[in-house]
Amino acid sequence: MITLKSAREIEGMEASGQLLARVHEALRTFIKPGITTHDIDQFVQSMIEENGGTAAQIGYQGYKYATCISVNDEMCHGFPTSQVLKANDLVKVDFCIDLHGFLSDSCWAYCVGDNAPEPIQTLMDATLKALELGIEQAVVGNRTGDIGFVMDEYIQQFGYKMSLEFTGHGLGPTIHEDPMVPFTGQKGTGTLLKKGMVITIEPIVNVGTHYAKLDSNGWTARTVDGSLSCQYEHTLAITDGKPHILTLQK
């Protein structure tokens, strides 16, 4: 079921999204060689709770952590562990915040260390640009296929592949709602976008294959060929004009 949000609900989700953005901004300097992904998870959960929020992923379908942290070939839903990060690891940190009943959701990619090697930086830049192009299509009268089409078309010029097994989604009042927002698509197809929809756009871009395999934990998805994977995600509201990004960072 697709729910259309009121102006009051979108305002509440934006306040949640602003807190989420501040956490990601803080991670820019927190993530460095020698820390573990468990350290990142604890840092995120503490900052959320210190600011009056709740880590909404804890307990969702039995999930135990505040974040999903996916490293290198892990595409999404990685468990925080005692894994020690080293320079040039590509780390994707994804989490959802509940602030006074209002949800927000965003994933951001970080390369550990001072300077990302050119191949990793190119992948990160292309994934972020694909997200930006997808967001531009999130206007009243367009369809979810328009979003997926422009993102997939853009990354193909680099020889990259989009994940075909995961999607963006509607958000609020629960974490995952309709409509699904695929990372690929055809123009003029898919769900019609209407004012008041709140959705996530979150392309997963792989250097090699389209496809994922699951770890034994039943959650962590990684590329079947071991190639690098990158993801960025924003929550946004569909308005009468341009899409309104609720998780925008400074």
Side-chain angles (χ1 to χ4, degrees):
M1 178 179 175
I2 297 173
T3 60
L4 301 181
K5 276 65 177 182
S6 67
R8 181 189 68 83
E9 289 172 311
I10 292 173
E11 182 178 357
M13 295 179 81
E14 183 169 27
S16 176
Q18 289 174 343
L19 171 57
L20 194 156
R22 292 199 302 273
V23 178
H24 272 307
E25 289 161 7
L27 287 175
R28 296 174 192 170
T29 53
F30 182 80
I31 294 176
K32 53 183 173 289
I35 69 168
T36 68
T37 54
H38 175 74
D39 293 333
I40 297 173
D41 184 72
Q42 292 300 296
F43 176 86
V44 169
Q45 183 174 351
S46 294
M47 188 169 175
I48 291 171
E49 293 175 352
E50 288 167 2
N51 286 275
T54 301
Q57 290 173 189
I58 297 176
Y60 178 74
Q61 295 185 357
Y63 195 74
K64 298 179 180 180
Y65 306 100
T67 62
C68 295
I69 303 178
S70 306
V71 182
N72 295 330
D73 65 324
E74 294 173 347
M75 295 165 63
C76 58
H77 306 155
F79 279 17
T81 68
S82 59
Q83 176 182 359
V84 177
L85 297 176
K86 61 184 185 301
N88 302 331
D89 279 337
L90 179 55
V91 182
K92 291 81 66 176
V93 183
D94 186 5
F95 57 96
C96 185
I97 289 178
D98 183 329
L99 184 66
H100 310 310
F102 297 104
L103 296 177
S104 59
D105 187 6
S106 178
C107 178
W108 218 251
Y110 305 87
C111 185
V112 180
D114 294 332
N115 295 293
E118 189 277 333
I120 295 177
Q121 190 63 59
T122 299
L123 174 62
M124 294 171 69
D125 291 344
T127 306
L128 183 56
K129 180 63 176 180
L131 171 61
E132 293 168 350
L133 291 171
I135 289 172
E136 290 176 2
Q137 296 298 311
V139 295
V140 171
N142 274 2
R143 292 180 178 271
T144 52
D146 297 306
I147 296 172
F149 176 83
V150 298
M151 294 195 300
D152 189 41
E153 181 182 52
Y154 178 74
I155 64 101
Q156 285 183 29
Q157 67 182 288
F158 300 92
Y160 300 149
K161 302 291 196 307
M162 278 291 189
S163 167
L164 302 178
E165 298 161 297
F166 302 96
T167 71
H169 52 87
L171 184 69
T174 60
I175 290 179
H176 288 101
E177 297 196 346
D178 290 332
M180 298 298 101
V181 186
F183 311 146
T184 66
Q186 296 297 318
K187 291 181 178 180
T189 65
T191 302
L192 182 68
L193 301 177
K194 299 178 180 180
K195 180 183 177 181
M197 285 183 178
V198 174
I199 61 174
T200 72
I201 301 177
E202 48 184 289
I204 297 175
V205 178
N206 304 328
V207 171
T209 179
H210 290 289
Y211 300 107
K213 59 183 178 181
L214 277 184
D215 284 0
S216 59
N217 62 30
W219 283 87
T220 305
R222 64 178 72 237
T223 56
V224 296
D225 61 358
S227 61
L228 279 178
S229 182
C230 189
Q231 183 181 31
Y232 288 95
E233 173 189 17
H234 272 310
T235 298
L236 57 126
I238 310 299
T239 72
D240 282 330
K242 294 180 179 180
H244 182 37
I245 301 173
L246 306 182
T247 49
L248 190 64
Q249 298 179 35
K250 293 180 180 178

